[in-house]
Amino acid sequence: MLRFGPDDAPTVIAAPALFEEGNRTRALLVDVLHRLAARGIAGVLPDLPGTGESLVPTARATVLRWREAFEAATERVWRSGQVASSVAIRGGALLDTLALLPARWQLAPMRGEEVRAELLRTMRAAGFDGDPAALSADGDGTPIPVAGNLISRRLWSELADALPVGQDGECSVRIVRLAGDPRTADARLDGTPMWRRAEATGDPILAEALAVDIAGWIARCAA
Amino acid sequence: MLFEGTPQIENAVRAVLRDVLGLSQDRVDALRPETPLFGSLPELDSMAVAGVLTELEDRLAIVIDDDEVSGEMLETFGALTTFASTKALT
């Protein structure tokens, strides 16, 4: 787990993008958290089960375990006396649903079904030519290899109907998308979809624009 | 109808190749209909193809089925643009 910024300030808990997209957007996310810290907003980047420094094997991770871990991280912020809110990237928007949060901020959020379609496409690119319907077949059977990572069949099944918390436009959920993305959003910012890039470079201009948007939203909704 | 929308689709395809593959603006500006893609652009490996297709889906609000993905649609910039136009404008 990484902590950023002051101890006694409104605190965002970061829900990173899932799987390979999480690797590709980690530098961007850490950059945004540093920039929020510089604006007096604290940040927490938890190592969710099966990710980062977590000791849980990747094949044991499930959506439910991620959600429970995210809720526990949120609970610690509330117990420390600070106002908690979440900042999610892409599939990370699926992870904060159990947490007690007055305000959620999401960059290009995804439905679980879309996460699954991307995993399947990655598997196809790596040579998988089986029937995707067979992947859900047995709840806790052998893990599914996705381009070198093992994911559990339960996680695969959970993604079929996992959704982010519903959106209402302002405080409870604020959705930000990149300029080329036509789907519903509360704001659109110029920038590169770093989650697509195999050689992810930084994007300080986007990170700054994201930090400004989040800081303004925290001031209105969760300070 | 197909004709009218094509320049916007072509621009979207250029932007997707730039953003997903990390190509410079100069390189994407130089793409012509006959410019070969898959097998010729070193950045466009099979994993990158998955990213390009998914990003095209997002930006053009289309769905590309597995059985529509072929070597031909990725052979040249023109073929990919035609594929995207057909999906987006019908």
Side-chain angles (χ1 to χ4, degrees):
Chain A
M1 189 186 89
L2 295 176
R3 280 201 62 100
F4 302 80
D7 289 333
D8 53 344
T11 303
V12 299
I13 302 132
L18 306 181
F19 308 111
E20 177 61 16
E21 289 198 356
N23 300 330
R24 293 177 177 181
T25 54
R26 189 169 171 93
L28 176 70
L29 180 56
V30 169
D31 191 0
V32 168
L33 291 169
H34 278 301
R35 288 168 194 270
L36 290 173
R39 289 171 167 78
I41 296 164
V44 172
L45 177 53
D47 289 313
L48 297 170
T51 75
E53 305 286 306
S54 159
L55 298 176
V56 176
T58 58
R60 304 283 303 169
T62 64
V63 173
L64 182 61
R65 286 185 82 167
W66 283 338
R67 287 175 168 173
E68 286 172 346
F70 197 89
E71 187 205 10
T74 307
E75 180 67 27
R76 277 195 294 278
V77 171
W78 286 117
R79 251 188 277 131
S80 73
Q82 304 307 321
V83 176
S85 53
S86 65
V87 163
I89 298 185
R90 303 283 290 162
L94 302 171
L95 306 185
D96 65 9
T97 59
L98 294 181
L100 179 65
L101 292 162
R104 294 172 165 85
W105 186 98
Q106 302 170 345
L107 175 63
M110 302 170 82
R111 290 175 287 122
E113 198 183 19
E114 294 173 299
V115 174
R116 217 161 81 145
E118 289 205 359
L119 286 175
L120 184 60
R121 196 159 264 164
T122 304
M123 291 164 67
R124 294 258 188 246
F128 171 78
D129 59 358
D131 175 10
L135 295 173
S136 306
D138 53 318
D140 263 328
T142 51
I144 305 165
V146 181
N149 289 303
L150 294 178
I151 69 167
S152 81
R153 283 168 192 265
R154 173 162 298 172
L155 170 55
W156 181 265
S157 301
E158 286 173 327
L159 284 174
D161 46 26
L163 290 172
V165 167
Q167 45 191 279
D168 79 341
E170 191 39 21
C171 280
S172 83
V173 180
R174 178 171 173 82
I175 297 183
V176 171
R177 293 189 185 277
L178 298 182
D181 186 339
R183 286 167 296 181
T184 315
D186 300 301
R188 284 179 213 283
L189 299 172
D190 288 323
T192 300
M194 208 58 76
W195 46 87
R196 300 281 182 221
R197 296 281 283 272
E199 308 283 333
T201 52
D203 188 341
I205 296 170
L206 176 61
E208 178 67 13
L210 295 171
V212 166
D213 193 273
I214 296 169
W217 165 83
I218 297 267
R220 291 195 302 278
C221 300
Chain B
M1 188 64 205
L2 188 83
F3 194 69
E4 274 177 16
T6 302
Q8 283 89 333
I9 305 288
E10 189 183 307
N11 285 338
V13 176
R14 280 185 206 276
V16 165
L17 292 173
R18 181 194 63 209
D19 289 345
V20 176
L21 305 179
L23 304 182
S24 67
Q25 191 64 47
D26 287 351
R27 281 182 71 193
V28 298
D29 287 346
L31 293 170
R32 296 287 166 260
E34 63 279 10
T35 309
L37 296 181
F38 192 60
S40 301
L41 268 187
E43 293 87 351
L44 189 62
D45 59 23
S46 56
M47 283 299 164
V49 167
V52 166
L53 296 179
T54 312
E55 189 64 17
L56 279 174
E57 289 183 327
D58 286 357
R59 295 204 194 183
L60 300 175
I62 58 175
V63 176
I64 303 170
D65 292 325
D66 281 343
D67 55 15
E68 294 177 297
V69 180
S70 67
E72 283 139 61
M73 66 176 276
L74 291 159
E75 205 169 294
T76 60
F77 178 66
L80 183 58
T81 305
T82 302
F83 174 82
S85 305
T86 310
K87 293 294 290 187
L89 302 173
T90 52

